[in-house]
Amino acid sequence: MGMPDVHNFKQCKLGAAMCCYVANRKSNDVDADPEDNSDACYMDFSEAQESSHVRDGYSIYGNGVEGSLNCHGFAWGNDVGYADNAFKGNSLFQVAMYDSLYQNGFSEELPGAPMCGCVEHMPVVTKASCTKVVVDQTVSVKYNASLTEFDVSADIKSIIHQSCDNNDLSSHYQDLVGQGKVTQKAKDDFDTRLVGEGNCPDAIRTFLVGKGFSFS
């Protein structure tokens, strides 16, 4: 399954995507909140113009002022031959449609943000839970001497989605670095999007300095 051909999933340069929700429509309470697992720091509208419907602007959060926020994501290696890359569309369906919407009823996005997208287009947050894909497959490579070419085939026995170790997207992304699937530079950039518990003030300060403001 491929990724959607829509603005919020274009150019996922960091090889990671997530969904963030502020409501729970599965509850009988019309004002129900999702399970709170993250805090929003800020949303830069210029990074999601089709969702925010403006060319520029931003919202500043921090200290949990947005209320309950649930973020859930996944990541993949930087080669299309990696299973987590090849099946990233399946992972999106699992995270967004099955786990978040069908199982838990999570819905609605932060104002001006996509509900789901590449982490570069999403709000800067402290953390996100994580799903990974485990694929049982056999790859066969044969050389055809008469045509002087290789024939490659894959026999896929199963595709299973499960929680990442520690159920933490940042930790999982670091695991991908250790496996050689993404670079340390990519992890450094990723850490400006999921900044860790208690780090919203520093993230907001850095962002506002770039806008010509100070934050205290």
Side-chain angles (χ1 to χ4, degrees):
M1 181 183 295
M3 294 286 271
D5 185 20
V6 292
H7 61 90
N8 41 319
F9 288 104
K10 288 184 177 178
Q11 297 183 337
C12 290
K13 295 180 180 179
L14 297 181
M18 68 178 179
C19 303
C20 290
Y21 308 95
V22 297
N24 179 355
R25 72 180 195 181
K26 204 165 187 177
S27 170
N28 292 327
D29 184 351
V30 294
D31 295 321
D33 295 324
E35 177 186 352
D36 190 5
N37 73 348
S38 187
D39 289 325
C41 303
Y42 66 87
M43 176 62 203
D44 184 351
F45 297 156
S46 69
E47 294 174 340
Q49 294 176 345
E50 291 85 350
S51 295
S52 62
H53 305 291
V54 295
R55 285 181 294 183
D56 203 356
Y58 50 87
S59 292
I60 302 297
Y61 296 97
N63 298 320
V65 297
E66 75 283 351
S68 295
L69 176 69
N70 187 283
C71 295
H72 188 169
F74 59 99
W76 57 90
N78 55 19
D79 189 296
V80 294
Y82 293 135
D84 50 14
N85 188 314
F87 294 100
K88 56 184 180 288
N90 300 65
S91 296
L92 174 62
F93 185 89
Q94 179 76 24
V95 167
M97 302 304 296
Y98 184 74
D99 287 341
S100 297
L101 180 60
Y102 179 72
Q103 292 282 77
N104 294 299
F106 296 161
S107 61
E108 298 186 27
E109 67 282 355
L110 280 170
M115 190 178 299
C116 302
C118 311
V119 293
E120 302 96 310
H121 305 316
M122 295 293 291
V124 170
V125 300
T126 55
K127 60 183 296 185
S129 57
C130 177
T131 290
K132 66 179 180 180
V133 63
V134 179
V135 180
D136 182 7
Q137 64 178 336
T138 302
V139 178
S140 299
V141 181
K142 297 179 180 179
Y143 179 68
N144 189 324
S146 61
L147 298 176
T148 63
E149 65 182 19
F150 289 94
D151 295 325
V152 181
S153 62
D155 179 18
I156 300 171
K157 297 178 175 61
S158 66
I159 303 172
I160 299 172
H161 287 90
Q162 60 189 38
S163 294
C164 305
D165 295 342
N166 302 317
N167 194 27
D168 181 75
L169 184 57
S170 293
S171 296
H172 179 62
Y173 203 89
Q174 185 61 55
D175 290 341
L176 296 183
V177 175
Q179 296 164 16
K181 289 185 173 182
V182 299
T183 66
Q184 184 59 52
K185 173 62 167 59
K187 179 60 166 63
D188 293 342
D189 292 340
F190 178 91
D191 288 343
T192 67
R193 310 302 307 182
L194 279 79
V195 299
E197 291 285 355
N199 292 326
C200 268
D202 287 341
I204 294 170
R205 185 176 297 107
T206 299
F207 174 72
L208 289 179
V209 165
K211 297 292 185 179
F213 297 99
S214 62
F215 174 78
S216 60

mmCIF file of all heavy atoms in Angstrom, residues 21-63:
data_model
loop_
_atom_site.group_PDB
_atom_site.id
_atom_site.type_symbol
_atom_site.label_atom_id
_atom_site.label_comp_id
_atom_site.label_asym_id
_atom_site.label_seq_id
_atom_site.Cartn_x
_atom_site.Cartn_y
_atom_site.Cartn_z
ATOM 1 N N TYR A 21 -4.007 13.950 17.813
ATOM 2 C CA TYR A 21 -5.443 14.106 18.001
ATOM 3 C C TYR A 21 -5.760 14.870 19.279
ATOM 4 O O TYR A 21 -5.041 14.760 20.284
ATOM 5 C CB TYR A 21 -6.116 12.733 18.085
ATOM 6 C CG TYR A 21 -5.784 11.804 16.940
ATOM 7 C CD1 TYR A 21 -4.755 10.869 17.063
ATOM 8 C CD2 TYR A 21 -6.491 11.858 15.748
ATOM 9 C CE1 TYR A 21 -4.448 10.014 16.013
ATOM 10 C CE2 TYR A 21 -6.192 11.003 14.696
ATOM 11 C CZ TYR A 21 -5.160 10.080 14.834
ATOM 12 O OH TYR A 21 -4.858 9.238 13.800
ATOM 13 N N VAL A 22 -6.882 15.599 19.246
ATOM 14 C CA VAL A 22 -7.295 16.366 20.424
ATOM 15 C C VAL A 22 -8.700 15.991 20.896
ATOM 16 O O VAL A 22 -9.213 16.597 21.842
ATOM 17 C CB VAL A 22 -7.242 17.886 20.135
ATOM 18 C CG1 VAL A 22 -5.825 18.324 19.827
ATOM 19 C CG2 VAL A 22 -8.186 18.265 18.985
ATOM 20 N N ALA A 23 -9.329 14.993 20.264
ATOM 21 C CA ALA A 23 -10.693 14.612 20.655
ATOM 22 C C ALA A 23 -10.863 13.102 20.578
ATOM 23 O O ALA A 23 -10.071 12.398 19.948
ATOM 24 C CB ALA A 23 -11.726 15.307 19.763
ATOM 25 N N ASN A 24 -11.910 12.622 21.223
ATOM 26 C CA ASN A 24 -12.239 11.195 21.234
ATOM 27 C C ASN A 24 -13.725 11.059 20.951
ATOM 28 O O ASN A 24 -14.550 11.350 21.817
ATOM 29 C CB ASN A 24 -11.880 10.586 22.584
ATOM 30 C CG ASN A 24 -12.212 9.104 22.670
ATOM 31 O OD1 ASN A 24 -12.793 8.535 21.747
ATOM 32 N ND2 ASN A 24 -11.845 8.478 23.770
ATOM 33 N N ARG A 25 -14.058 10.613 19.752
ATOM 34 C CA ARG A 25 -15.475 10.552 19.382
ATOM 35 C C ARG A 25 -16.122 9.214 19.715
ATOM 36 O O ARG A 25 -17.299 9.011 19.450
ATOM 37 C CB ARG A 25 -15.634 10.842 17.894
ATOM 38 C CG ARG A 25 -15.156 9.745 16.957
ATOM 39 C CD ARG A 25 -15.366 10.166 15.516
ATOM 40 N NE ARG A 25 -15.260 9.064 14.581
ATOM 41 C CZ ARG A 25 -15.383 9.189 13.266
ATOM 42 N NH1 ARG A 25 -15.626 10.391 12.746
ATOM 43 N NH2 ARG A 25 -15.290 8.146 12.470
ATOM 44 N N LYS A 26 -15.346 8.288 20.298
ATOM 45 C CA LYS A 26 -15.904 6.992 20.650
ATOM 46 C C LYS A 26 -16.590 7.016 22.011
ATOM 47 O O LYS A 26 -17.328 6.126 22.377
ATOM 48 C CB LYS A 26 -14.803 5.927 20.647
ATOM 49 C CG LYS A 26 -15.312 4.511 20.419
ATOM 50 C CD LYS A 26 -14.179 3.571 20.074
ATOM 51 C CE LYS A 26 -14.724 2.199 19.679
ATOM 52 N NZ LYS A 26 -13.647 1.280 19.265
ATOM 53 N N SER A 27 -16.320 8.060 22.779
ATOM 54 C CA SER A 27 -16.930 8.190 24.099
ATOM 55 C C SER A 27 -18.350 8.749 23.972
ATOM 56 O O SER A 27 -18.685 9.438 23.015
ATOM 57 C CB SER A 27 -16.077 9.108 24.969
ATOM 58 O OG SER A 27 -16.748 9.436 26.161
ATOM 59 N N ASN A 28 -19.181 8.447 24.968
ATOM 60 C CA ASN A 28 -20.533 9.010 24.993
ATOM 61 C C ASN A 28 -20.513 10.496 25.314
ATOM 62 O O ASN A 28 -21.483 11.207 25.078
ATOM 63 C CB ASN A 28 -21.387 8.261 26.024
ATOM 64 C CG ASN A 28 -21.664 6.830 25.614
ATOM 65 O OD1 ASN A 28 -21.781 6.536 24.426
ATOM 66 N ND2 ASN A 28 -21.752 5.931 26.581
ATOM 67 N N ASP A 29 -19.403 10.960 25.863
ATOM 68 C CA ASP A 29 -19.252 12.373 26.194
ATOM 69 C C ASP A 29 -18.811 13.127 24.944
ATOM 70 O O ASP A 29 -17.754 12.845 24.381
ATOM 71 C CB ASP A 29 -18.210 12.531 27.307
ATOM 72 C CG ASP A 29 -18.050 13.974 27.778
ATOM 73 O OD1 ASP A 29 -18.616 14.876 27.118
ATOM 74 O OD2 ASP A 29 -17.357 14.193 28.780
ATOM 75 N N VAL A 30 -19.601 14.077 24.487
ATOM 76 C CA VAL A 30 -19.283 14.781 23.235
ATOM 77 C C VAL A 30 -18.011 15.587 23.358
ATOM 78 O O VAL A 30 -17.386 15.949 22.353
ATOM 79 C CB VAL A 30 -20.444 15.705 22.807
ATOM 80 C CG1 VAL A 30 -21.672 14.888 22.448
ATOM 81 C CG2 VAL A 30 -20.767 16.722 23.904
ATOM 82 N N ASP A 31 -17.595 15.906 24.584
ATOM 83 C CA ASP A 31 -16.367 16.674 24.787
ATOM 84 C C ASP A 31 -15.227 15.795 25.285
ATOM 85 O O ASP A 31 -14.300 16.275 25.937
ATOM 86 C CB ASP A 31 -16.614 17.809 25.798
ATOM 87 C CG ASP A 31 -17.604 18.841 25.269
ATOM 88 O OD1 ASP A 31 -17.532 19.140 24.064
ATOM 89 O OD2 ASP A 31 -18.427 19.328 26.056
ATOM 90 N N ALA A 32 -15.272 14.505 24.992
ATOM 91 C CA ALA A 32 -14.271 13.570 25.507
ATOM 92 C C ALA A 32 -12.896 13.854 24.914
ATOM 93 O O ALA A 32 -12.770 14.287 23.768
ATOM 94 C CB ALA A 32 -14.683 12.134 25.202
ATOM 95 N N ASP A 33 -11.886 13.607 25.709
ATOM 96 C CA ASP A 33 -10.510 13.815 25.293
ATOM 97 C C ASP A 33 -9.848 12.486 24.964
ATOM 98 O O ASP A 33 -10.218 11.439 25.498
ATOM 99 C CB ASP A 33 -9.710 14.494 26.414
ATOM 100 C CG ASP A 33 -10.213 15.897 26.712
ATOM 101 O OD1 ASP A 33 -10.624 16.578 25.755
ATOM 102 O OD2 ASP A 33 -10.191 16.287 27.891
ATOM 103 N N PRO A 34 -8.833 12.522 24.110
ATOM 104 C CA PRO A 34 -8.047 11.307 23.872
ATOM 105 C C PRO A 34 -7.106 11.061 25.044
ATOM 106 O O PRO A 34 -6.924 11.929 25.915
ATOM 107 C CB PRO A 34 -7.255 11.662 22.613
ATOM 108 C CG PRO A 34 -7.041 13.134 22.729
ATOM 109 C CD PRO A 34 -8.312 13.668 23.357
ATOM 110 N N GLU A 35 -6.513 9.882 25.085
ATOM 111 C CA GLU A 35 -5.472 9.616 26.077
ATOM 112 C C GLU A 35 -4.331 10.607 25.862
ATOM 113 O O GLU A 35 -3.812 10.751 24.755
ATOM 114 C CB GLU A 35 -4.962 8.187 25.922
ATOM 115 C CG GLU A 35 -3.827 7.830 26.853
ATOM 116 C CD GLU A 35 -3.248 6.460 26.573
ATOM 117 O OE1 GLU A 35 -3.833 5.734 25.740
ATOM 118 O OE2 GLU A 35 -2.213 6.120 27.164
ATOM 119 N N ASP A 36 -3.948 11.300 26.903
ATOM 120 C CA ASP A 36 -2.938 12.355 26.808
ATOM 121 C C ASP A 36 -1.537 11.742 26.908
ATOM 122 O O ASP A 36 -1.145 11.252 27.970
ATOM 123 C CB ASP A 36 -3.164 13.371 27.928
ATOM 124 C CG ASP A 36 -2.318 14.629 27.766
ATOM 125 O OD1 ASP A 36 -1.628 14.755 26.742
ATOM 126 O OD2 ASP A 36 -2.354 15.483 28.665
ATOM 127 N N ASN A 37 -0.780 11.764 25.805
ATOM 128 C CA ASN A 37 0.567 11.183 25.835
ATOM 129 C C ASN A 37 1.644 12.146 25.341
ATOM 130 O O ASN A 37 2.803 11.758 25.164
ATOM 131 C CB ASN A 37 0.623 9.884 25.020
ATOM 132 C CG ASN A 37 0.567 10.117 23.511
ATOM 133 O OD1 ASN A 37 0.273 11.226 23.047
ATOM 134 N ND2 ASN A 37 0.848 9.066 22.747
ATOM 135 N N SER A 38 1.264 13.421 25.093
ATOM 136 C CA SER A 38 2.240 14.357 24.541
ATOM 137 C C SER A 38 1.816 15.787 24.851
ATOM 138 O O SER A 38 0.672 16.032 25.259
ATOM 139 C CB SER A 38 2.355 14.170 23.016
ATOM 140 O OG SER A 38 3.403 14.939 22.477
ATOM 141 N N ASP A 39 2.740 16.711 24.689
ATOM 142 C CA ASP A 39 2.444 18.137 24.784
ATOM 143 C C ASP A 39 2.849 18.813 23.482
ATOM 144 O O ASP A 39 3.907 18.495 22.915
ATOM 145 C CB ASP A 39 3.205 18.795 25.943
ATOM 146 C CG ASP A 39 2.675 18.380 27.298
ATOM 147 O OD1 ASP A 39 1.451 18.176 27.418
ATOM 148 O OD2 ASP A 39 3.491 18.257 28.240
ATOM 149 N N ALA A 40 2.039 19.733 23.017
ATOM 150 C CA ALA A 40 2.384 20.524 21.835
ATOM 151 C C ALA A 40 3.253 21.702 22.251
ATOM 152 O O ALA A 40 2.989 22.344 23.273
ATOM 153 C CB ALA A 40 1.124 21.022 21.139
ATOM 154 N N CYS A 41 4.278 21.980 21.451
ATOM 155 C CA CYS A 41 5.135 23.143 21.692
ATOM 156 C C CYS A 41 4.683 24.309 20.813
ATOM 157 O O CYS A 41 4.371 25.384 21.316
ATOM 158 C CB CYS A 41 6.590 22.804 21.397
ATOM 159 S SG CYS A 41 7.240 21.396 22.330
ATOM 160 N N TYR A 42 4.667 24.076 19.502
ATOM 161 C CA TYR A 42 4.189 25.113 18.585
ATOM 162 C C TYR A 42 3.840 24.477 17.252
ATOM 163 O O TYR A 42 4.228 23.344 16.956
ATOM 164 C CB TYR A 42 5.231 26.222 18.393
ATOM 165 C CG TYR A 42 6.511 25.803 17.701
ATOM 166 C CD1 TYR A 42 6.625 25.806 16.312
ATOM 167 C CD2 TYR A 42 7.632 25.419 18.443
ATOM 168 C CE1 TYR A 42 7.793 25.432 15.677
ATOM 169 C CE2 TYR A 42 8.803 25.041 17.825
ATOM 170 C CZ TYR A 42 8.884 25.051 16.439
ATOM 171 O OH TYR A 42 10.051 24.663 15.809
ATOM 172 N N MET A 43 3.085 25.217 16.455
ATOM 173 C CA MET A 43 2.760 24.806 15.097
ATOM 174 C C MET A 43 3.130 25.927 14.158
ATOM 175 O O MET A 43 2.641 27.058 14.294
ATOM 176 C CB MET A 43 1.265 24.475 14.959
ATOM 177 C CG MET A 43 0.830 24.128 13.526
ATOM 178 S SD MET A 43 1.656 22.645 12.894
ATOM 179 C CE MET A 43 1.510 22.893 11.110
ATOM 180 N N ASP A 44 4.007 25.637 13.215
ATOM 181 C CA ASP A 44 4.424 26.597 12.192
ATOM 182 C C ASP A 44 3.533 26.390 10.969
ATOM 183 O O ASP A 44 3.659 25.406 10.255
ATOM 184 C CB ASP A 44 5.897 26.361 11.839
ATOM 185 C CG ASP A 44 6.436 27.382 10.854
ATOM 186 O OD1 ASP A 44 5.643 28.167 10.304
ATOM 187 O OD2 ASP A 44 7.661 27.381 10.614
ATOM 188 N N PHE A 45 2.613 27.333 10.728
ATOM 189 C CA PHE A 45 1.646 27.159 9.656
ATOM 190 C C PHE A 45 2.291 27.115 8.275
ATOM 191 O O PHE A 45 1.716 26.550 7.335
ATOM 192 C CB PHE A 45 0.616 28.290 9.685
ATOM 193 C CG PHE A 45 -0.214 28.338 10.935
ATOM 194 C CD1 PHE A 45 -0.810 29.519 11.346
ATOM 195 C CD2 PHE A 45 -0.408 27.202 11.704
ATOM 196 C CE1 PHE A 45 -1.582 29.573 12.490
ATOM 197 C CE2 PHE A 45 -1.172 27.236 12.856
ATOM 198 C CZ PHE A 45 -1.763 28.433 13.259
ATOM 199 N N SER A 46 3.467 27.706 8.113
ATOM 200 C CA SER A 46 4.122 27.708 6.801
ATOM 201 C C SER A 46 4.541 26.311 6.376
ATOM 202 O O SER A 46 4.785 26.067 5.197
ATOM 203 C CB SER A 46 5.340 28.636 6.821
ATOM 204 O OG SER A 46 6.376 28.115 7.644
ATOM 205 N N GLU A 47 4.613 25.375 7.329
ATOM 206 C CA GLU A 47 5.013 24.015 7.007
ATOM 207 C C GLU A 47 3.824 23.135 6.617
ATOM 208 O O GLU A 47 4.001 21.967 6.278
ATOM 209 C CB GLU A 47 5.757 23.404 8.194
ATOM 210 C CG GLU A 47 7.086 24.106 8.468
ATOM 211 C CD GLU A 47 7.760 23.601 9.718
ATOM 212 O OE1 GLU A 47 7.060 22.997 10.566
ATOM 213 O OE2 GLU A 47 8.980 23.810 9.861
ATOM 214 N N ALA A 48 2.622 23.693 6.685
ATOM 215 C CA ALA A 48 1.419 22.947 6.297
ATOM 216 C C ALA A 48 0.390 23.939 5.762
ATOM 217 O O ALA A 48 -0.706 24.074 6.282
ATOM 218 C CB ALA A 48 0.866 22.174 7.490
ATOM 219 N N GLN A 49 0.758 24.631 4.689
ATOM 220 C CA GLN A 49 -0.070 25.717 4.181
ATOM 221 C C GLN A 49 -1.437 25.252 3.709
ATOM 222 O O GLN A 49 -2.426 25.970 3.856
ATOM 223 C CB GLN A 49 0.664 26.440 3.048
ATOM 224 C CG GLN A 49 1.920 27.160 3.502
ATOM 225 C CD GLN A 49 2.680 27.786 2.352
ATOM 226 O OE1 GLN A 49 2.453 27.472 1.182
ATOM 227 N NE2 GLN A 49 3.597 28.684 2.672
ATOM 228 N N GLU A 50 -1.516 24.040 3.148
ATOM 229 C CA GLU A 50 -2.803 23.550 2.659
ATOM 230 C C GLU A 50 -3.749 23.208 3.816
ATOM 231 O O GLU A 50 -4.967 23.224 3.659
ATOM 232 C CB GLU A 50 -2.615 22.328 1.760
ATOM 233 C CG GLU A 50 -1.950 22.619 0.425
ATOM 234 C CD GLU A 50 -0.419 22.618 0.523
ATOM 235 O OE1 GLU A 50 0.115 22.584 1.661
ATOM 236 O OE2 GLU A 50 0.236 22.641 -0.529
ATOM 237 N N SER A 51 -3.188 22.877 4.957
ATOM 238 C CA SER A 51 -4.015 22.592 6.130
ATOM 239 C C SER A 51 -4.382 23.862 6.881
ATOM 240 O O SER A 51 -5.520 24.017 7.348
ATOM 241 C CB SER A 51 -3.275 21.636 7.081
ATOM 242 O OG SER A 51 -3.075 20.374 6.487
ATOM 243 N N SER A 52 -3.425 24.777 7.009
ATOM 244 C CA SER A 52 -3.678 26.010 7.749
ATOM 245 C C SER A 52 -4.391 27.068 6.916
ATOM 246 O O SER A 52 -4.997 27.990 7.456
ATOM 247 C CB SER A 52 -2.357 26.594 8.261
ATOM 248 O OG SER A 52 -1.500 26.944 7.185
ATOM 249 N N HIS A 53 -4.282 26.934 5.568
ATOM 250 C CA HIS A 53 -4.904 27.878 4.623
ATOM 251 C C HIS A 53 -4.330 29.289 4.734
ATOM 252 O O HIS A 53 -5.002 30.267 4.405
ATOM 253 C CB HIS A 53 -6.430 27.906 4.798
ATOM 254 C CG HIS A 53 -7.068 26.559 4.676
ATOM 255 N ND1 HIS A 53 -7.123 25.869 3.488
ATOM 256 C CD2 HIS A 53 -7.654 25.758 5.607
ATOM 257 C CE1 HIS A 53 -7.735 24.706 3.677
ATOM 258 N NE2 HIS A 53 -8.054 24.614 4.949
ATOM 259 N N VAL A 54 -3.103 29.379 5.211
ATOM 260 C CA VAL A 54 -2.378 30.647 5.236
ATOM 261 C C VAL A 54 -0.941 30.379 4.803
ATOM 262 O O VAL A 54 -0.446 29.260 4.916
ATOM 263 C CB VAL A 54 -2.392 31.317 6.623
ATOM 264 C CG1 VAL A 54 -3.810 31.715 7.016
ATOM 265 C CG2 VAL A 54 -1.779 30.412 7.682
ATOM 266 N N ARG A 55 -0.272 31.408 4.304
ATOM 267 C CA ARG A 55 1.118 31.246 3.875
ATOM 268 C C ARG A 55 2.082 31.209 5.042
ATOM 269 O O ARG A 55 3.134 30.574 4.963
ATOM 270 C CB ARG A 55 1.509 32.366 2.902
ATOM 271 C CG ARG A 55 0.922 32.207 1.516
ATOM 272 C CD ARG A 55 1.350 33.320 0.598
ATOM 273 N NE ARG A 55 0.812 34.619 1.022
ATOM 274 C CZ ARG A 55 0.987 35.753 0.365
ATOM 275 N NH1 ARG A 55 1.712 35.766 -0.737
ATOM 276 N NH2 ARG A 55 0.446 36.881 0.803
ATOM 277 N N ASP A 56 1.735 31.897 6.128
ATOM 278 C CA ASP A 56 2.642 31.951 7.267
ATOM 279 C C ASP A 56 1.836 32.235 8.531
ATOM 280 O O ASP A 56 0.676 32.629 8.476
ATOM 281 C CB ASP A 56 3.707 33.025 7.058
ATOM 282 C CG ASP A 56 4.967 32.769 7.876
ATOM 283 O OD1 ASP A 56 4.981 31.791 8.655
ATOM 284 O OD2 ASP A 56 5.945 33.540 7.724
ATOM 285 N N GLY A 57 2.480 32.029 9.657
ATOM 286 C CA GLY A 57 1.832 32.214 10.948
ATOM 287 C C GLY A 57 2.185 31.050 11.853
ATOM 288 O O GLY A 57 2.808 30.080 11.421
ATOM 289 N N TYR A 58 1.787 31.141 13.095
ATOM 290 C CA TYR A 58 2.130 30.070 14.028
ATOM 291 C C TYR A 58 1.250 30.167 15.276
ATOM 292 O O TYR A 58 0.658 31.204 15.566
ATOM 293 C CB TYR A 58 3.609 30.127 14.414
ATOM 294 C CG TYR A 58 4.088 31.489 14.872
ATOM 295 C CD1 TYR A 58 3.973 31.885 16.202
ATOM 296 C CD2 TYR A 58 4.654 32.383 13.958
ATOM 297 C CE1 TYR A 58 4.411 33.125 16.616
ATOM 298 C CE2 TYR A 58 5.090 33.639 14.367
ATOM 299 C CZ TYR A 58 4.967 34.006 15.702
ATOM 300 O OH TYR A 58 5.392 35.246 16.108
ATOM 301 N N SER A 59 1.185 29.053 15.974
ATOM 302 C CA SER A 59 0.542 28.993 17.290
ATOM 303 C C SER A 59 1.575 28.520 18.290
ATOM 304 O O SER A 59 2.332 27.589 18.014
ATOM 305 C CB SER A 59 -0.638 28.013 17.278
ATOM 306 O OG SER A 59 -1.693 28.481 16.475
ATOM 307 N N ILE A 60 1.610 29.159 19.441
ATOM 308 C CA ILE A 60 2.527 28.784 20.504
ATOM 309 C C ILE A 60 1.741 28.090 21.612
ATOM 310 O O ILE A 60 0.714 28.600 22.074
ATOM 311 C CB ILE A 60 3.255 30.021 21.086
ATOM 312 C CG1 ILE A 60 4.025 30.749 19.977
ATOM 313 C CG2 ILE A 60 4.180 29.620 22.225
ATOM 314 C CD1 ILE A 60 5.125 29.946 19.333
ATOM 315 N N TYR A 61 2.222 26.945 22.046
ATOM 316 C CA TYR A 61 1.571 26.181 23.108
ATOM 317 C C TYR A 61 2.527 26.103 24.303
ATOM 318 O O TYR A 61 2.891 27.110 24.859
ATOM 319 C CB TYR A 61 1.172 24.798 22.609
ATOM 320 C CG TYR A 61 0.143 24.838 21.500
ATOM 321 C CD1 TYR A 61 0.523 24.751 20.160
ATOM 322 C CD2 TYR A 61 -1.212 24.967 21.789
ATOM 323 C CE1 TYR A 61 -0.423 24.800 19.146
ATOM 324 C CE2 TYR A 61 -2.163 25.013 20.778
ATOM 325 C CZ TYR A 61 -1.757 24.921 19.456
ATOM 326 O OH TYR A 61 -2.691 24.975 18.461
ATOM 327 N N GLY A 62 2.905 24.925 24.705
ATOM 328 C CA GLY A 62 3.784 24.759 25.862
ATOM 329 C C GLY A 62 2.991 24.614 27.141
ATOM 330 O O GLY A 62 1.873 25.137 27.277
ATOM 331 N N ASN A 63 3.539 23.835 28.072
ATOM 332 C CA ASN A 63 2.922 23.614 29.383
ATOM 333 C C ASN A 63 1.550 22.964 29.296
ATOM 334 O O ASN A 63 0.726 23.119 30.195
ATOM 335 C CB ASN A 63 2.809 24.933 30.165
ATOM 336 C CG ASN A 63 4.146 25.564 30.450
ATOM 337 O OD1 ASN A 63 5.110 24.861 30.774
ATOM 338 N ND2 ASN A 63 4.237 26.878 30.311
#
